[in-house]
């Protein structure tokens, strides 16, 4: 017992941050890996003309994640954050390996891989919800504000890592290439499991279970000042009491009452628009997009995902630099406008000059990714974390996350179907119009949250609800 206590005391906040961040890398790797694997998988299983199956294979992970995040949130309240992260890592390892060893049984192989990737998605959704939550509960209060930007940087770093792995494996025989790309996702999952195995449980969870002595002990590993520990314990108790009272007084219908409706629509709407704007169509299908534009084989275009990954990482660092210098609404509207034009202009140019260079669309996609990376990508979750009042925060955040995953799944599913039935420029123009609608939505429906307390933001929603109640025709 003394050996365990001594080992636990060596756990530093840097170690906790590293493995919290590593969860983001794991999440990002699985988002990006199919980008390089898909061209080889299509050729190996002769799926070039099976747009629906390709869409389902790609989007199955996001479909599973819709349910994984919701289940993990409930189970973590019962079993603990740490145990559920460990369970998620195990599920991730098992189904990553099962993806890589998919049997070759004709069309049945595609259905096998879809089911396996849906189950893998349960772990992806769980990790995306649990790891940042655990990290924020362990972090110093003054460090929590930077977690959204840090987590986004780690996610896109994981995507970049998967693109590099895909590129390094591209010269293997086709069957081995895609199998190793998918199966190697088990490696970061194993690293996450071994790292989290050494971490203590969240003090917030321990207090909820009535184990104050253990919660104090855990805080003593990462807080040096006894007075600071006492203050944080008291703060956690008070917050937990407020949340219990809030949960007793609210239901799902409360989210859409006059007092909260404005803020719920704003937060959930931004989360949904982030995905329906089409970013994941680029991340999942960029080699196929280049193939359709140039006629070159998709498997020879795996440098383009790396270019996109580098842009995403740089953009996430730019966001961390500018996050507190500009209003949230300003960044979202500027980013959305440029993203929309980046999608619409290639269609306009192609209409005016039918013989335009086919790589023009790829250049505009890079501009889209650059602006997405430091606006809508990180700011969606910053805003969702700030905009919901305490009384509805749990349910509203869960609803926003679900709509985000639904959007991610639908874009991954329908993009290959759309490009099989219409020109790529027209498909991206549709996404461009959605981007412009997102700008209008932010302008008319989303309050500014930078520099405002949670109480001030809630008051904006209350005042808006009163105005709507007194002017129902509006």
């Amino acid at each position: 017992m003394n050996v365990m206590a001594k080992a636990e005391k060596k756990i530093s906040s840097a170690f906790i941050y590293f493995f919290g961040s590593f969860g983001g890398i794991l999440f990002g790797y699985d988002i990006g890996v199919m980008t390089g694997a898909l061209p080889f998988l299509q050729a190996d299983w002769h799926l070039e003309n099976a747009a629906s199956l390709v869409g389902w294979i790609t989007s199955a992970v996001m479909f599973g994640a819709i349910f994984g995040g919701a289940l993990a949130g409930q189970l973590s309240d019962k079993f603990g954050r740490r145990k559920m992260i460990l369970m998620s890592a195990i599920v991730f390892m098992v189904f990553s390996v099962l993806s890589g060893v998919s049997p070759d049984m004709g069309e049945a192989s595609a259905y096998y891989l879809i089911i396996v990737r849906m189950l893998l998605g349960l772990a992806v959704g769980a990790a995306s919800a649990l790891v940042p939550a655990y990290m924020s509960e362990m972090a110093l209060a003054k460090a929590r504000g930077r977690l959204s930007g840090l987590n986004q940087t780690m996610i896109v770093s994981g995507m970049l890592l998967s693109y590099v792995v895909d590129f390094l494996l591209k010269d293997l025989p086709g069957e081995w290439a895609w199998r190793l790309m998918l199966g190697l996702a088990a490696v970061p999952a194993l690293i996450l499991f071994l790292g989290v195995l050494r971490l203590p449980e969240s003090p917030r969870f321990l207090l909820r279970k009535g184990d104050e002595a253990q919660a104090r002990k855990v805080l003593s590993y990462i807080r040096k000042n006894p007075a600071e520990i006492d203050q944080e314990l008291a703060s956690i108790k008070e917050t937990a009491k407020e949340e219990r009272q809030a949960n007793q007084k609210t239901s799902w219908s409360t989210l859409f009452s006059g007092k909260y409706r404005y803020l719920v629509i704003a937060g959930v709407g931004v989360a949904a628009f982030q995905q329906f704007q089409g970013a994941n169509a680029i991340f999942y299908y960029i080699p196929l997009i280049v193939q359709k534009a140039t006629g070159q084989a998709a498997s020879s275009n795996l440098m383009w995902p790396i270019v996109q990954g580098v842009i995403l990482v740089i953009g996430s660092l730019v966001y961390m630099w500018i996050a507190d210098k500009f209003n949230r609404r300003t960044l979202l509207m500027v980013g959305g406008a440029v993203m929309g034009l980046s999608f619409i202009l290639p269609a306009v140019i192609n209409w005016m000059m039918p013989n335009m260079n086919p790589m023009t669309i790829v250049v505009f996609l890079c501009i889209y990714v650059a602006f997405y990376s430091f606006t809508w990508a990180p700011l969606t979750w910053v805003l969702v974390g700030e905009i919901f009042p305490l009384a509805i925060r749990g349910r509203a955040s869960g609803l926003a996350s679900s709509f985000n995953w639904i959007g991610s799944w639908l874009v991954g599913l329908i993009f290959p179907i759309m490009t099989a039935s219409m020109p790529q420029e027209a498909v991206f123009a549709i996404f461009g119009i959605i981007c412009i609608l997102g700008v209008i939505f932010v302008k008319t429906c989303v309050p500014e949250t930078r520099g405002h307390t949670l109480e001030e933001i809630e008051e904006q929603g209350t005042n808006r609800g009163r105005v709507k109640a007194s002017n129902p025709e509006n």
Side-chain angles (χ1 to χ4, degrees):
M1 184 70 180
N2 290 336
V3 174
M4 282 292 295
K6 186 176 181 181
E8 286 186 348
K9 285 187 179 180
K10 292 180 180 178
I11 299 172
S12 66
S13 57
F15 186 88
I16 293 168
Y17 270 101
F18 176 79
F19 280 100
S21 300
F22 206 90
I25 290 176
L26 178 65
F27 175 35
Y29 184 95
D30 203 80
I31 289 176
V33 70
M34 186 53 80
T35 303
L38 192 58
F40 298 98
L41 177 62
Q42 278 185 297
D44 190 30
W45 285 359
H46 308 291
L47 299 175
E48 290 86 351
N49 298 315
S52 295
L53 281 178
V54 169
W56 269 106
I57 290 171
T58 304
S59 65
V61 165
M62 286 75 78
F63 185 80
I66 296 171
F67 306 98
L71 285 173
Q74 295 180 27
L75 292 175
S76 70
D77 285 340
K78 183 176 182 180
F79 298 109
R81 314 317 189 217
R82 175 180 170 275
K83 287 182 180 177
M84 289 309 302
I85 294 172
L86 290 171
M87 183 61 66
S88 298
I90 292 172
V91 172
F92 209 109
M93 280 187 281
V94 169
F95 289 103
S96 293
V97 172
L98 289 178
S99 296
V101 298
S102 299
D104 195 346
M105 304 178 296
E107 189 171 305
S109 301
Y111 294 110
Y112 166 89
L113 188 55
I114 289 168
I115 293 171
V116 167
R117 282 177 58 77
M118 282 183 183
L119 295 171
L120 176 61
L122 294 175
V124 171
S128 69
L130 289 172
V131 173
Y134 175 84
M135 195 162 62
S136 67
E137 291 180 3
M138 296 294 288
L140 289 165
K142 63 184 180 181
R144 288 172 188 154
R146 297 193 297 272
L147 287 179
S148 292
L150 177 61
N151 193 49
Q152 178 66 20
T153 300
M154 293 304 133
I155 290 172
V156 296
S157 297
M159 293 172 68
L160 177 58
L161 174 64
S162 73
Y163 298 150
V164 171
V165 169
D166 289 349
F167 183 80
L168 293 175
L169 296 177
K170 68 181 176 64
D171 293 325
L172 291 176
E175 182 178 358
W176 281 102
W178 71 263
R179 291 183 183 280
L180 275 174
M181 290 171 185
L182 298 183
L184 283 175
V187 175
L190 177 61
I191 295 172
L192 176 66
F193 178 86
L194 295 175
V196 175
L197 204 59
R198 291 194 58 221
L199 298 184
E201 183 51 86
S202 155
R204 185 183 180 116
F205 173 78
L206 292 170
L207 272 180
R208 288 187 63 178
K209 293 300 180 182
D211 194 348
E212 183 173 342
Q214 186 63 23
R216 181 180 293 276
K217 185 178 179 183
V218 171
L219 283 174
S220 72
Y221 304 153
I222 50 179
R223 308 286 190 268
K224 303 301 183 185
N225 189 332
E228 185 181 26
I229 294 173
D230 291 337
Q231 183 179 2
E232 187 157 352
L233 283 171
S235 176
I236 293 172
K237 286 181 185 178
E238 182 60 29
T239 302
K241 179 181 177 182
E242 290 176 359
E243 288 181 348
R244 281 195 301 270
Q245 292 173 346
N247 289 333
Q248 290 170 359
K249 295 177 182 178
T250 61
S251 64
W252 283 104
S253 61
T254 308
L255 270 60
F256 299 99
S257 66
K259 181 178 180 181
Y260 300 120
R261 185 186 305 120
Y262 168 58
L263 296 176
V264 171
I265 290 174
V268 173
V270 167
F273 266 111
Q274 186 205 42
Q275 291 301 329
F276 284 109
Q277 289 169 334
N280 281 344
I282 303 173
F283 303 148
Y284 301 143
Y285 297 112
I286 185 64
L288 299 180
I289 292 169
V290 177
Q291 174 182 282
K292 191 160 186 177
T294 65
Q296 299 173 356
S299 57
S300 66
N301 288 314
L302 296 189
M303 181 58 73
W304 280 105
I306 295 178
V307 173
Q308 306 289 344
V310 170
I311 293 172
L312 283 168
V313 172
I314 293 173
S316 70
L317 297 175
V318 169
Y319 166 74
M320 294 180 72
W321 177 53
I322 69 171
D324 295 322
K325 294 180 171 66
F326 298 95
N327 285 342
R328 317 287 193 231
R329 279 161 40 94
T330 301
L331 288 174
L332 287 173
M333 287 189 288
V334 170
V338 176
M339 287 155 53
L341 290 174
S342 299
F343 276 160
I344 293 170
L345 285 177
V348 174
I349 295 171
N350 187 59
W351 174 66
M352 297 175 66
M353 295 184 296
N355 296 321
M356 79 171 186
N357 188 319
M359 289 303 290
T360 301
I361 190 172
V362 181
V363 173
F364 275 104
L365 293 185
C366 291
I367 296 172
Y368 173 100
V369 171
F371 276 80
Y372 175 81
S373 67
F374 68 85
T375 58
W376 280 83
L379 274 170
T380 294
W381 300 113
V382 173
L383 193 141
V384 165
E386 294 173 336
I387 202 169
F388 298 129
L390 177 63
I392 61 167
R393 190 170 301 150
R395 286 186 172 91
S397 297
L399 186 65
S401 179
S402 294
F403 269 82
N404 189 265
W405 279 116
I406 289 169
S408 178
W409 164 60
L410 285 174
V411 168
L413 176 63
I414 67 174
F415 181 77
I417 300 172
M418 293 172 71
T419 54
S421 58
M422 65 179 77
Q424 277 196 146
E425 293 83 0
V427 175
F428 284 121
I430 292 171
F431 286 129
I433 292 170
I434 295 173
C435 290
I436 300 303
L437 292 175
V439 172
I440 295 171
F441 178 82
V442 171
K443 175 70 175 175
T444 58
C445 299
V446 178
E448 181 55 55
T449 60
R450 185 178 77 100
H452 293 282
T453 66
L454 297 180
E455 291 73 23
E456 288 170 344
I457 296 167
E458 182 172 352
E459 184 63 22
Q460 290 185 62
T462 302
N463 292 339
R464 184 67 171 255
R466 289 173 185 152
V467 171
K468 289 289 184 182
S470 59
N471 298 283
E473 68 277 8
N474 294 331

